[in-house]
């Protein structure tokens, strides 16, 4: 029995990146061999075991053969006769198919080290086309490593287009698509994930509301980059610089979905795109089965982002209405996320990337001023029920008016 460290742990060591988890492959062993040593088997479909002390995953060397559609359409074969090279062959990219033994000696049958040096994301074999999830995985790796100069090999990108054109992306479950998307949102350059999917005709299948934005013009006066799809990617890039939070980044991605359905006669303007985009956000989130907090923040960002941009033009009543409708008083942390989305939207334009965004600080001042109001004082003055709510609202307007007039 031989044990090898494989996959991302080896790849990231070679890239001198922090290794966050370790996966191992066991060659020349049976399930009984591992069970005797105290390993715990997980799942019935894959020969994967948990180490009794570290909890790391140890998988028996295996091969896979396509037997149907989608991510689960494979026949798995694992026994003590499967070689390390056969196991590595079933993996997606060459950089993920390098193994290391206990002495640090590398086994690299598919030239992963050369592709690391060349900064290429390259498939291992034509079997790459058999798993539609790999389209999303490669796009995610591009989002992770693009800042290091990595690009996708042309022939791999062509395979990704073939998968998209085959219709097999539709066979993926929403949970699988969201898992890859969620992980991509947390990468260094999340916008690259969506740009790659678009470049291989894969965006329309699961993200049609987003795909519709490319080719839709904005007024050059406010958007020197003009194209709404380009603007959206710039906003996501800015959001990634402002926050590590994937919820905030997803809201930035969704803030302008309404522009994708603007009537042609209104272009390049987009009257009412904020409210018209809310149902599109809901549709996208339901298709992907996103967690509730993603949909909630994305809808708030979609409907109210222009209000914040125009803070200095707003009346105090409108500012308070925004705070109330966005539930800022009950959920201040979410409102802080909203402010970051708005800042990313402002900066996500050609030539605006380094500009200050004082509107966020002003809105934060308005929220703090409103929070300084003590309802107990009003209750002591005899206000109750609806009259108490109206009195609190009036006091908020008075406080905010001082900020708007400053």
């Amino acid at each position: 029995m031989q044990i090898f460290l494989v996959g991302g742990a080896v790849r990231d060591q070679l890239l001198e990146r922090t290794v966050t988890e370790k996966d191992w492959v066991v060659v020349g062993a049976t399930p009984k061999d591992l069970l005797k040593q105290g390993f715990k088997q997980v799942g019935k479909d894959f020969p994967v075991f948990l180490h009794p002390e570290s909890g790391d995953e140890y998988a028996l060397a295996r091969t896979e053969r396509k037997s149907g559609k989608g991510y689960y359409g494979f026949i798995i074969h694992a026994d003590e006769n499967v070689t390390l090279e056969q196991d590595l062959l079933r993996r997606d990219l060459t950089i993920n198919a390098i193994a290391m033994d206990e002495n640090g000696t590398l086994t690299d049958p598919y030239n992963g080290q050369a592709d690391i040096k060349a900064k290429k994301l390259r498939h291992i074999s034509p079997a790459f086309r058999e798993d539609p999830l790999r389209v999303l995985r490669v796009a995610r790796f591009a989002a992770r490593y693009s800042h290091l100069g990595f690009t996708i090999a042309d022939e791999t990108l062509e395979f990704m287009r073939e998968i998209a054109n085959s219709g097999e992306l539709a066979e993926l479950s929403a949970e699988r698509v969201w898992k890859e998307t969620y992980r991509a949102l947390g990468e260094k350059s999340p916008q690259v994930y969506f740009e790659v999917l678009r470049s291989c005709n894969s965006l329309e299948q699961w993200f049609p509301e987003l795909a519709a934005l490319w080719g839709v013009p904005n007024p050059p006066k406010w958007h020197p980059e003009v194209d709404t799809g380009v603007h959206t990617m710039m906003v996501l890039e800015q959001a990634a610089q402002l926050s590590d939070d994937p919820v905030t980044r997803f809201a930035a991605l969704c803030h302008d979905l309404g522009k994708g359905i603007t009537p042609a006669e209104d272009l390049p303007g987009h009257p009412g795109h904020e409210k018209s985009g809310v149902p599109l956000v809901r549709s996208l989130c339901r298709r992907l089965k996103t967690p509730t907090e993603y949909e909630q923040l994305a809808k708030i960002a979609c409907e109210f982002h222009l209000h914040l941009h125009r803070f200095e033009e707003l009346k105090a009543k409108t500012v308070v209405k925004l705070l109330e409708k966005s539930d800022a008083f009950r959920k201040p942390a979410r409102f802080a996320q909203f402010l970051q989305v708005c800042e990313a939207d402002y900066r996500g334009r050609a030539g605006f990337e380094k500009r200050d965004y004082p509107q966020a600080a002003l809105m934060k001042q308005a929220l703090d001023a409103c929070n300084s109001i003590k309802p107990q004082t009003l209750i002591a003055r005899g206000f109750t029920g609806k009259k108490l709510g109206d009195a609190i609202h009036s006091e908020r307007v008075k406080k905010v008016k001082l900020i708007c007039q400053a």
Side-chain angles (χ1 to χ4, degrees):
M1 182 172 70
Q2 293 178 291
I3 298 176
F4 298 87
L5 183 65
V6 294
V10 179
R11 176 198 66 227
D12 286 342
Q13 280 191 43
L14 295 175
L15 285 169
E16 298 182 349
R17 289 170 55 92
T18 301
V19 175
T20 56
E21 60 182 40
K22 294 181 177 181
D23 292 315
W24 307 84
V25 65
V26 183
V27 179
T30 66
K32 289 183 178 180
D33 294 330
L34 293 182
L35 292 173
K36 286 180 180 179
Q37 295 187 30
F39 284 79
K40 181 180 179 181
Q41 186 167 1
V42 292
K44 297 180 180 179
D45 298 327
F46 297 102
V48 178
F49 300 79
L50 298 181
H51 191 279
E53 295 179 2
S54 69
D56 289 348
E57 288 192 356
Y58 285 67
L60 294 182
R62 66 183 188 263
T63 60
E64 298 174 350
R65 180 167 57 86
K66 186 73 169 176
S67 62
K69 293 184 177 181
Y71 176 74
Y72 292 102
F74 291 88
I75 294 175
I76 307 299
H77 173 70
D79 65 32
E80 64 270 31
N81 296 315
V82 177
T83 67
L84 176 62
E85 288 74 15
Q86 287 175 314
D87 182 88
L88 295 175
L89 180 63
R90 68 176 176 80
R91 298 172 188 270
D92 49 9
L93 300 174
T94 61
I95 66 170
N96 295 331
I98 308 171
M100 179 185 295
D101 67 14
E102 60 182 5
N103 298 315
T105 302
L106 297 177
T107 299
D108 180 18
Y110 308 110
N111 301 313
Q113 293 176 88
D115 280 334
I116 287 177
K117 186 175 181 179
K119 297 183 178 181
K120 282 294 179 184
L121 301 175
R122 192 189 313 277
H123 67 281
I124 296 173
S125 78
F128 176 91
R129 289 176 292 190
E130 296 178 351
D131 184 357
L133 189 66
R134 287 175 171 174
V135 173
L136 304 180
R137 279 177 52 82
V138 174
R140 175 167 61 82
F141 282 121
R144 178 181 297 179
Y145 297 123
S146 67
H147 72 287
L148 298 178
F150 275 79
T151 58
I152 301 172
D154 291 341
E155 59 272 26
T156 302
L157 199 59
E158 186 57 36
F159 275 158
M160 293 165 69
R161 292 192 184 99
E162 289 183 20
I163 293 173
N165 295 336
S166 74
E168 279 224 35
L169 288 175
E171 302 294 331
L172 294 173
S173 68
E175 290 80 5
R176 282 285 173 182
V177 174
W178 174 246
K179 182 178 180 180
E180 291 298 324
T181 301
Y182 163 75
R183 295 180 70 181
L185 287 168
E187 299 293 4
K188 179 78 171 180
S189 307
Q191 74 281 2
V192 173
Y193 174 77
F194 299 98
E195 291 169 347
V196 168
L197 292 182
R198 180 172 179 267
S199 71
C200 64
N201 306 326
S202 300
L203 197 61
E204 295 83 354
Q205 181 66 56
W206 284 93
F207 306 88
E209 299 86 355
L210 182 62
L213 299 181
W214 273 268
V216 176
N218 283 305
K221 177 182 178 181
W222 306 113
H223 288 273
E225 73 286 347
V226 180
D227 189 284
T228 304
V230 174
H231 164 64
T232 300
M233 294 297 98
M234 295 176 71
V235 173
L236 181 54
E237 181 178 8
Q238 289 295 318
Q241 294 179 19
L242 292 170
S243 173
D244 293 332
D245 174 39
V247 183
T248 301
R249 295 178 178 193
F250 181 77
L253 180 75
C254 297
H255 82 285
D256 261 354
L257 292 185
K259 290 183 178 180
I261 58 173
T262 299
E265 59 269 22
D266 290 332
L267 296 174
H270 296 276
H273 76 276
E274 310 97 298
K275 287 190 175 182
S276 66
V278 173
L280 299 179
V281 172
R282 184 182 302 114
S283 176
L284 176 62
C285 290
R286 302 296 164 82
R287 184 184 310 110
L288 295 174
K289 298 184 179 180
T290 67
T292 302
E293 63 266 28
Y294 285 80
E295 180 177 345
Q296 290 178 341
L297 179 61
K299 288 193 293 189
I300 290 171
C302 184
E303 184 171 359
F304 298 116
H305 63 278
L306 286 190
H307 285 67
L308 191 60
H309 295 339
R310 295 195 289 256
F311 181 92
E312 295 175 347
E313 303 171 19
L314 300 181
K315 295 180 180 180
K317 288 183 178 180
T318 306
V319 173
V320 174
K321 186 178 180 181
L322 169 59
L323 290 170
E324 292 172 345
K325 291 188 71 173
S326 62
D327 209 9
F329 299 110
R330 289 198 317 120
K331 298 186 176 181
R334 187 177 69 185
F335 193 74
Q337 293 171 310
F338 165 70
L339 296 182
Q340 288 187 317
V341 174
C342 293
E343 183 171 356
D345 180 35
Y346 179 82
R347 291 183 176 180
R349 296 178 289 169
F352 285 71
E353 294 88 349
K354 301 298 182 182
R355 295 195 184 185
D356 292 331
Y357 189 65
Q359 292 93 323
L362 290 170
M363 184 59 80
K364 180 64 167 55
Q365 288 180 33
L367 177 60
D368 291 342
C370 291
N371 282 330
S372 70
I373 299 169
K374 305 299 182 184
Q376 294 84 352
T377 303
L378 296 173
I379 293 173
R381 289 164 53 185
F383 291 99
T384 60
K386 183 179 183 302
K387 289 185 178 180
L388 174 60
D390 292 341
I392 292 175
H393 177 82
S394 296
E395 289 297 314
R396 287 170 175 171
V397 172
K398 291 178 184 178
K399 293 279 190 180
V400 172
K401 188 173 290 185
L402 297 175
I403 295 173
C404 292
Q405 293 173 348

